[in-house]
């Protein structure tokens, strides 16, 4: 075999090794991306709802459901997640956030305050299932998924209302 043939075979073997390495690298990245997407889907799955218990105005109606996002803002401004058209509600009134595997409620410096189980809050506080949050003339009840789907919670509300 000539020297040129040996060099050609070495280059060909190097190219095959390089392409194999890049193929494996892309395959591992694709697997990691799929795993991250699956984890993300689990984390953004349904975690809880706010159900309107009472409202002194017409909107939102009683028993309306609001799905909680990892950061849910409540206020009168249209940029909030939950918009309440009530003169006793500030533009950015309250914040409900998912931190350390639990829901937290925080008043955003509103004039009329945010109430948890009829007690005014001043600092961020952890929420539990069944807690009643009062903002202006609207009272919400926190309902956590705890193995239930949104449809199961909604059907339970429909079944309890004749």
């Amino acid at each position: 075999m000539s020297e040129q043939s040996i060099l050609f075979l070495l280059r060909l073997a190097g190219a095959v090794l390089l392409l194999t390495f890049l193929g494996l690298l892309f395959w591992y990245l694709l697997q990691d991306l799929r795993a991250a997407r699956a984890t993300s889907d689990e984390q953004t799955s349904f975690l809880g709802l706010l159900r309107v218990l009472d409202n002194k105005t017409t909107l939102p109606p009683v028993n309306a459901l609001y799905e909680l996002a990892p950061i849910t803002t409540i206020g009168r401004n249209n940029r909030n997640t939950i918009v309440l058209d009530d003169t006793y509600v500030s533009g950015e009134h309250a914040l409900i956030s998912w931190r350390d595997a639990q829901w937290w409620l925080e008043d955003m410096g509103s004039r009329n305050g945010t109430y948890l189980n009829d007690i005014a809050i001043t600092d961020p506080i952890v929420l539990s299932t069944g807690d009643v949050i009062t903002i202006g003339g609207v009272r919400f009840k926190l309902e956590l998924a705890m193995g239930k789907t949104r449809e199961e919670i909604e059907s339970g509300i429909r079944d309890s209302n004749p």
Side-chain angles (χ1 to χ4, degrees), residues 20 30-31 34 37 39 66 74 80 85-86 99 109 147:
T20 303
L30 182 62
Q31 296 303 318
R34 286 181 181 159
R37 185 177 297 143
T39 302
Y66 292 99
I74 304 171
N80 289 298
D85 189 24
D86 184 338
R99 293 182 292 190

Side-chain angles (χ1 to χ4, degrees), residues 4-5 12 15 21 25 36 46-47 51 57 80 82 90 92 95-96 98-99 106 117-118 120-121 138 141 148 151 158:
Q4 288 180 340
S5 298
L12 188 62
F21 172 75
L25 180 67
F46 170 69
L47 294 172
R51 179 169 55 100
T57 63
N80 289 298
I82 300 173
S90 299
E92 282 104 21
L95 172 73
I96 298 175
W98 180 253
R99 293 182 292 190
E106 181 177 352
N117 300 322
D118 296 324
I121 64 166
V138 183
K141 181 178 180 182
K148 294 182 182 178
E151 290 75 25
R158 281 193 297 273

Side-chain angles (χ1 to χ4, degrees), residues 52-92:
V52 177
L53 291 177
D54 185 29
N55 189 358
K56 294 183 178 166
T57 63
T58 56
L59 291 175
V62 173
N63 281 333
L65 295 173
Y66 292 99
E67 191 168 327
L68 292 173
I71 296 176
T72 303
T73 57
I74 304 171
R76 208 169 53 223
N77 289 340
N78 288 334
R79 64 181 168 261
N80 289 298
T81 311
I82 300 173
V83 178
L84 302 175
D85 189 24
D86 184 338
T87 56
Y88 291 100
V89 176
S90 299
E92 282 104 21

Side-chain angles (χ1 to χ4, degrees), residues 1 3 98 111 130 156:
M1 230 189 225
E3 192 176 303
W98 180 253
R111 280 187 180 212

